[in-house]
Amino acid sequence: MDRQSVITDEATALAQIRDGMTVALGGFITAQHSMALIRGIAKRGIKGLRVVAGLSSALEVDLLIGCGCVQRLATAYVGAEATVPIGPFFKKAAEDQTIDLWECDEIILMAMLQATAAGIPFFPVRGGMGTDLPHLNKDLKEFRDPIHNDPLLAVPAMKIDVAVTHAYCADPYGNVQYAGNTFADGLIHRAAEKTITTVEKVVPTAYIRRDPFKTLYTADFIVRSPFGAHPYSCHGEYIEDDEHLKGYANAANLATKGDDSAWKVYRNQFIDTPEDHMDYLEQIGVKKLFSLNEF
Amino acid sequence: MDRQSVITDEATALAQIRDGMTVALGGFITAQHSMALIRGIAKRGIKGLRVVAGLSSALEVDLLIGCGCVQRLATAYVGAEATVPIGPFFKKAAEDQTIDLWECDEIILMAMLQATAAGIPFFPVRGGMGTDLPHLNKDLKEFRDPIHNDPLLAVPAMKIDVAVTHAYCADPYGNVQYAGNTFADGLIHRAAEKTITTVEKVVPTAYIRRDPFKTLYTADFIVRSPFGAHPYSCHGEYIEDDEHLKGYANAANLATKGDDSAWKVYRNQFIDTPEDHMDYLEQIGVKKLFSLNEF
Amino acid sequence: MVPYSTKELMACWLSRDLADREYAAVGANFPIPRAAVLLAHLAHGPNMKVGMGAFNVNLQGVDHVMSLRYFSDFWPVQWAESASFFPLDLLSIHKLDVFFVSGIQIDVYGNTNLIGIGDKQKGFKFRGPGSIGTATLATLARRYYIVTEHHSPRLFVEKCDKISAMGFGDGTPGLRQKLGLPGAGPKYCITPLCVFDFSPTTRKMRLGSLHPGVGLNQVINNTGFKIDIPEEIGETRPPTSAELEILRNRIDREGLLR
Amino acid sequence: MVPYSTKELMACWLSRDLADREYAAVGANFPIPRAAVLLAHLAHGPNMKVGMGAFNVNLQGVDHVMSLRYFSDFWPVQWAESASFFPLDLLSIHKLDVFFVSGIQIDVYGNTNLIGIGDKQKGFKFRGPGSIGTATLATLARRYYIVTEHHSPRLFVEKCDKISAMGFGDGTPGLRQKLGLPGAGPKYCITPLCVFDFSPTTRKMRLGSLHPGVGLNQVINNTGFKIDIPEEIGETRPPTSAELEILRNRIDREGLLR
């Protein structure tokens, strides 16, 4: 009996994600989202997802909203900072109330993940008291601490079916290492029942063993996806593709204002037509990709 | 105005620790206790300490009990496994009720540290329910979670005045890195108001910057203490001095049974007579020290 | 005197309120606080702990510091002495001394809103980007500053439609303590026109100083609530040439503040 | 058949109850469970996650594995693919499938005591070393095994003086669920004389099998509580020669189990 590789293809990985599931996405604002799989979710038209975007999202959840995949969204932010101050589809869906928002800030989101990871029903926090978050998010409950009677906010755990993260590398047995910041990915992995990780590189286990302290978690499925975070950055490999982000935001913006011609073109070119991530990268082109290399 | 070094000498570091303070000790069972400072505490006869020994102690707290420094002890274990199954002074003090015990297991101790570090009044856990820990430790309180009414144990935060840890290296500005496991030291640092760290080596900041992800915390005081964890191990440097541990345990054992002659010799030779850590190492001797080098 | 821009004035003024050894975080896309923290660090705070994105950096000896493109940029790694440990560090963020907050609404009690505009319980007339980390960080940081590049009646409102970071709530004395919030709340609010502080009794915004060349009526007309105006109104102290030299040569070569 | 020791029997028997892909932790100074986990890993569990001290190791292709001197030994780093993240991993330890517990007292309901002996509310006639991680790990691990190298009436008592790891408490049906404990509790208790399982109705220890050569009375006389004895008593299946070969050549060259 041999040790089994957990490296799989996109289709097998995506088959783990089904309509109505709660899916937690890794990365932080414009870094390290598993776009290879997120585009795959959109292409397959998976519906009714309850998305947890931790620590904070960029526009990857905006894209999922635009493609009709999202029923509920837990996130503290949707945007790409100065490049795209707010996600267009998110803005419209929030204004029209076509998605449920689990309103929170980043630390309340982490408290939820921490409760889930620790197998406890809730995590107590001070942040958010006095704000409108408990009014907007009925899952948050003010209570008195049982020891000193201090006022606190109880943030409940949330069952998370699948975590989808992107990392620098993994070995064939799912040991995942990052080249830079890991953000909340270690916590997200521990909060989820199952983890799928796309990686820039598959490395031999000997590479992992050079510094086992760098292994952040052991994923259940690994998908080989160079440039898998494009148009977002992957520490140690490439930076954001601002031009692509602006193109996306422009198309999405027009679509929310009733003109979906540019969005149809974007969606066709980058989501629906490409068979898989490699096909998508062909659309982006080698020159563009390697122009993004960091340092 | 220049950046200021936080490297200091043993005397200055020890002056931070005063009678009655709550002191958290780093390391885990037989690894990485800051013995250079712990012996200094014993030598100075600091009294009434409330000691938090996380993750678990070896005999460093036993030594502090034997020297009359401890009023209260929070720890999940006192011993050195097969070498010394239970700390002699700890055993006698527990049986005679001459110290207060904050009875817990390792995870409950971590929950307390986590509550303290997060600035929340308590941390909820499932472990310990159904055991005698809540009967023996009145700080632990069973309660119902405010969301699902599940039974839980509330572990209160504890104000910790000083953390005393031992690490592989630090730069002059207090950035601390470990060569091996870090156990609960990162959490202990964040739970304490002030941290004193003894290190095997002081390194230039450029060394720290080679891999800033390895910096576990930034201590307020750094004391240069090669072999500072002796007779315990320091990952990447040396292993335990079993012979020394057995000698200690034998002396302590006899002392608790009414014959304190060996203990007086031990205490005189290793605690009271040496001026400082370097003097102590002279007592151990170069041959012994370098026989402990790992690998 | 060297001429300066309003943004440079704001950054220099803020920098003087930060002390050596303090721990201050700087985000991306918030150039005035970024410049203020770096200026404090380079001018008088060599022992400050400066959070730059997800890294803690020390910039002594660095010739000049480019600005973050995005909060999660990797390149500050070159000056980093540690990186944020998630979730440990976010959960122990009450050790943060100084934080900065903005909003799509700012009200008379220093509450800020990044969530959205609209009266309804659910749904928004205008949806904002989200609370980011502000709900907690404004609570836990020892003090914070409200910083805005705009000053208009639509921004400075009597009451925020939604509160994402609580300042002094509805002004009830001791409210922050009653709610268990450890931080002291907003210390100052700085705008392109003036500096507000907060009355220790009413907890309402109070005119602290007018920027050089700004008239009182300009502030009154551009603020959507009634301002507490003291008998004597000071003038915001302008940048010194030493401050401007550091600012322009080492912190803002790109000229984001000009 | 190859002759074997009682400890080898215990380790081999336990190893068969561990499945591939399970996550099992092995401490120091607990040689029988250590051997059981490593034997399962090398014989039929190449995808097991094996906790060795503060590391997670995989030992496929490793010729032989020395035993830990101490739990916090550094040298398993050579086979480590990850290290424990404290506190994150201890707080999410409910993903642990298999854990092992011992005690200075073990009672009829599978409760164990590492705290101390004595009836008083405070103070002890005999103080034990402390709960270590058992209060929580026995609660959160999906299942656990009680393993002891001794079998005496002083160890196997009707009721523990203090409980450090709760098995089935006082036997109240559904008590673990009522207390919110996610793990299933102790599955077996193995001693040098026999294997106990737990009656699904009374939750009391029940004789599962006698080790080869052990008489029923030997167990009865050495147990401080009345044992539930089924009509038919099986014999603990002895080690196979394949098991002993792995055990002796790759796991226990030092002969700790002989």
Side-chain angles (χ1 to χ4, degrees), chain A residues 3-4 117-118 190 215, chain D residues 21 47 81 89 91 94-95:
Chain A
R3 200 174 178 192
Q4 280 167 9
R190 285 160 178 83
T215 304
Chain D
R21 307 197 172 280
N47 300 291
E81 298 179 359
D89 278 342
L91 292 175
H94 58 292
K95 300 210 168 167

Side-chain angles (χ1 to χ4, degrees), chain D residues 6-21:
Chain D
T6 299
K7 290 178 185 174
E8 288 176 329
L9 167 76
M10 292 167 72
C12 292
W13 189 87
L14 278 170
S15 77
R16 295 178 209 126
D17 211 51
L18 309 184
D20 192 19
R21 307 197 172 280

Side-chain angles (χ1 to χ4, degrees), chain A residues 1-4 114 116-119 171 175 186-187 189-192 205 208-209 212-213 215-216 218, chain D residues 20-21 44 46-47 55 58-60 74 77-83 85 88-89 91-92 94-95 140:
Chain A
M1 199 154 145
D2 278 339
R3 200 174 178 192
Q4 280 167 9
Q114 179 80 72
T116 311
D171 75 356
N175 295 300
L187 184 56
H189 164 80
R190 285 160 178 83
T205 298
I208 295 294
R209 290 189 181 195
F213 297 102
T215 304
L216 190 66
T218 305
Chain D
D20 192 19
R21 307 197 172 280
H44 62 262
N47 300 291
F55 295 100
N58 191 294
L59 303 167
Q60 302 305 301
F74 183 45
V77 72
Q78 68 193 300
W79 300 318
E81 298 179 359
S82 61
F85 271 78
L88 210 51
D89 278 342
L91 292 175
S92 63
H94 58 292
K95 300 210 168 167
L140 297 189

Side-chain angles (χ1 to χ4, degrees), chain A residues 166 200 227-230 232-234 236-239 292-294:
Chain A
H166 183 75
E200 295 293 325
F227 282 97
H230 181 273
Y232 302 104
S233 67
C234 182
E237 293 283 289
Y238 47 89
I239 60 171
L292 301 171
N293 274 158
E294 181 147 31

Side-chain angles (χ1 to χ4, degrees), chain B residues 12 28 37 48 54 57 62 80 82 150 168 176 185 188 204-205 244:
Chain B
T12 309
F28 187 34
L37 294 183
S57 28
D62 198 70
D150 278 8
Y168 176 69
V176 174
D185 286 12
I188 290 168
T205 298
H244 189 98

